[in-house]
Amino acid sequence: MQELYKEFEKEMGFGMSGDKENPEDSKLFLLYVHMLLTTEVAEVAEEFRKIFYLVKRYTQEGMDPQEAYAKAKQEVRVDLGKELADCLAYICKLGNFFDYDLEDELSKKLNEIRSTRKQPRANVEA
């Protein structure tokens, strides 16, 4: 995904302006990406809010809660996917900036969690 994003940045001219080794250039870049990422995370939260609102409305209209939840999730599916992709793009941008292999970082993190857990938690599905 990081390579895909690098190619997209080149194609669109979205790369960092300035020198990534320059503290002032980096500071502005990181502040900008941070603002973009947090905005997108807030938009994910807004899609969750829509789900909660729709479930409440549908159950008040007499729909079974599970059916209402399934319908609400389906209604926000496209927009939620777009917002999650936006978040992922900015995370890739940050990973590339700091020369991380995010797949490797995630693998290390999951192994760290595994090693600190005595028993797996129950799988929670919505």
Side-chain angles (χ1 to χ4, degrees), residues 51 54-55 68-78 80 126:
I51 290 171
L54 289 169
V55 168
Y69 182 58
K71 182 177 179 179
K73 285 194 320 184
Q74 191 59 40
E75 286 187 31
V76 302
R77 183 167 178 77
V78 170
L80 178 58

Side-chain angles (χ1 to χ4, degrees), residues 25-62:
D25 290 347
S26 294
K27 182 173 145 182
L28 291 173
F29 171 81
L30 294 171
L31 178 60
Y32 178 68
V33 174
H34 174 264
M35 289 187 309
L36 292 170
L37 177 58
T38 56
T39 299
E40 296 305 335
V41 169
E43 290 177 4
V44 168
E46 178 62 20
E47 294 305 316
F48 294 164
R49 189 197 63 75
K50 286 180 192 175
I51 290 171
F52 302 149
Y53 170 79
L54 289 169
V55 168
K56 181 179 178 181
R57 188 176 97 201
Y58 295 150
T59 55
Q60 287 174 341
E61 292 171 357

